[in-house]
Each structure stands twice: as C-alpha cells, then as structure tokens.
C-alpha cells in the first residue's frame, strides 16, 4: 500500500514539480500553423496574429506568424498568446524589423504584461525610420489614451552592432522579474536597465505592430516565439 501511495503522490505532484522547474510556451509556426492560441487585444483593431507559410522562415520550418493592422489601417495592433498570466518570466522572439526612409513608417516588436481587461501593456519595438532610428521600450494604457509613455530609447550608438542597414530578422527579448524588465537585442543585454514595469503585476505576452507618423499599414512578422516562466 505504501508503494501505491507514493506513486499516487508522485502523479498528483508532478505538474507542480514541472511548473517549479520552469513552464514554457512556444510557437514556431511550422508550415504556417500556429501552435498556440492567439487573441486580439480588445482596445485596438480586431486584427489577430495568424500563421503563414514562408520558405525563408528564420528557423527553417517554412512558417512564421504575421500580425497586420489592416482592419483600421494606421492604428496599432496587438495580439497575445492565450496562456496563463505571468509575472516573472523570459520572453523572446525573432522579429522582422523593417528599415524605412524618412520620418514615417511601421514599427514592430513584442509586448508583455498585457492586461486585456484594464487595457494596458508594455512593448519593446524596433523603430528603424532613417530620420531617427532607435529601439524603444514603453507603457501603453487606456489612461494614457493609448499613447506610449516611454521608459527608454536606445539610439544607434547604444544598439549592439548598430542600426541595421536593411530590413531583416533579429532576436528581441525581455526578462521580467519582481516588477522590473531587462531588454535584449540579438542576445545582448541593452544598457540602462532594469526598468520598472510595475503598473501591471501579471499578464500575457504577444506581438505588436503600428505605423507612426501618419496613417499607414503595418505588418509584424515573428518566429520562434518563446515564453518561459522563471
């Protein structure tokens, strides 16, 4: 009886043990098929991230994720993976960062601590318009009228490897711990952090797209999306 009891206890506790060792969620979009369930942020366009076939997918599996803002062209789009809400975690994704001429253009990135009920989130984006290229980190919420409250800009001298000369794939990541965030670009920690992100205690993670400088269509392409509880 004691042996059976031990086995049953092991079965009951195994999810807890697995969780304590680090639960993770991922979506590689193999052959254009989403592996996670995605939902649109209700306070923006109703665009949602979708899988798409792409023979040039950076992870080589013939598929990527795509988020557009075409429902109401010129406004932001946000889509999040339907997982458990998290407070201490690591998020990374390979994002296609567009490089555009002038002062208008799309920006792309990842979002975290997304609260679809109260309407707030943080986002980390590449904004490589040639007039003022930068990476930036910001909070967006209903109380800010959906305008970003910037936490940090990284100018060309602060970006490891400098600003890309042409559009391409780059790894973007954030680590959130105890209400602070550290940002990473192509595997290298960006200077200045960690930054306070304590407006939202826990939330979802996702993908963000926007067009800045006027009305225009934007698309964020993403691959190898990974969330890991820490």
């Amino acid at each position: 009886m004691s042996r059976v009891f031990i086995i049953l206890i092991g079965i009951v506790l195994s999810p807890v043990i697995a969780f304590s060792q680090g639960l993770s969620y991922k979506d590689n979009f193999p052959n254009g098929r989403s592996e996670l369930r995605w939902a649109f942020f209700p306070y923006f366009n109703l665009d949602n991230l979708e899988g798409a076939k792409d023979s040039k997918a950076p992870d080589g599996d013939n598929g990527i994720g795509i988020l557009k803002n075409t429902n109401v062209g010129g406004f932001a789009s946000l889509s999040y993976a339907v997982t458990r809400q998290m407070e201490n975690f690591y998020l990374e994704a390979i994002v296609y960062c567009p490089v555009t001429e002038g002062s208008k253009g799309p920006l792309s990135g990842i979002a975290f601590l997304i609260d679809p009920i109260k309407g707030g989130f943080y986002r980390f984006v590449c904004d490589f318009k040639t007039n003022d290229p930068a990476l930036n980190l910001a909070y967006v919420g209903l109380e800010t009228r959906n305008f970003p409250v910037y936490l940090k800009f990284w100018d060309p001298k602060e970006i490891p490897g400098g600003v890309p000369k042409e559009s391409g794939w780059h790894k973007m990541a954030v680590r959130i711990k105890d209400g602070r965030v550290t940002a990473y670009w192509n595997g290298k920690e960006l200077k200045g952090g960690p930054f306070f992100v304590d407006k939202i205690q826990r939330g979802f993670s996702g993908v963000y797209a926007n067009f800045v400088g006027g009305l225009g269509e934007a698309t964020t392409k993403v691959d190898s999306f990974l969330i890991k509880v820490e």
Side-chain angles (χ1 to χ4, degrees):
M1 289 294 292
S2 61
R3 185 176 180 182
V4 173
F5 180 75
I6 291 172
I7 291 173
L8 290 174
I9 288 294
I11 293 172
V12 171
L13 291 181
S14 58
V16 178
I17 294 170
F19 175 75
S20 66
Q21 292 175 341
L23 180 67
S24 64
Y25 301 90
K26 66 177 182 177
D27 201 331
N28 291 328
F29 309 99
N31 292 309
R33 179 179 56 83
S34 297
E35 297 175 294
L36 296 174
R37 186 162 67 90
W38 293 84
F40 57 79
F41 187 66
Y43 295 96
F44 285 173
N45 305 353
L46 303 186
D47 292 287
N48 200 16
L49 185 142
E50 298 180 351
K53 288 188 175 182
D54 189 333
S55 61
K56 297 181 179 180
D59 64 359
D61 67 358
N62 197 43
I64 62 173
I66 293 180
L67 175 65
K68 300 181 179 181
N69 74 337
T70 51
N71 275 342
V72 188
F75 193 55
S77 285
L78 175 61
S79 182
Y80 61 92
V82 181
T83 63
R84 58 166 291 161
Q85 296 186 66
M86 302 173 212
E87 54 185 331
N88 291 321
F89 59 96
Y90 173 78
L91 164 66
E92 74 171 32
I94 302 177
V95 179
Y96 188 84
C97 292
V99 176
T100 56
E101 294 289 334
S103 59
K104 299 180 181 181
L107 54 82
S108 299
I110 54 178
F112 56 97
L113 293 175
I114 301 167
D115 185 342
I117 304 300
K118 295 183 179 179
F121 64 95
Y122 291 88
R123 91 285 195 280
F124 173 42
V125 300
C126 47
D127 185 4
F128 293 151
K129 302 183 301 297
T130 55
N131 279 16
D132 191 19
L135 296 171
N136 73 69
L137 179 70
Y139 169 77
V140 179
L142 290 182
E143 74 275 25
T144 71
R145 297 172 58 194
N146 289 327
F147 287 103
V149 176
Y150 294 102
L151 282 68
K152 174 66 176 177
F153 283 91
W154 290 276
D155 63 31
K157 293 181 180 179
E158 297 175 299
I159 299 173
V163 173
K165 295 182 179 179
E166 58 184 23
S167 303
W169 293 97
H170 298 273
K171 183 181 289 187
M172 304 182 72
V174 291
R175 173 169 278 112
I176 292 82
K177 185 172 179 59
D178 299 331
R180 296 187 179 191
V181 60
T182 302
Y184 302 86
W185 173 253
N186 289 328
K188 296 183 179 181
E189 182 177 334
L190 293 170
K191 296 180 179 180
F195 305 92
F196 284 104
V197 287
D198 50 3
K199 288 183 178 292
I200 304 172
Q201 291 187 343
R202 61 182 60 86
F204 300 103
S205 296
V207 178
Y208 179 84
N210 200 355
F211 189 93
V212 293
L215 296 177
E217 294 185 358
T219 298
T220 292
K221 299 178 182 180
V222 64
D223 205 356
S224 300
F225 184 90
L226 171 68
I227 315 166
K228 186 176 181 180
V229 178
E230 296 188 336

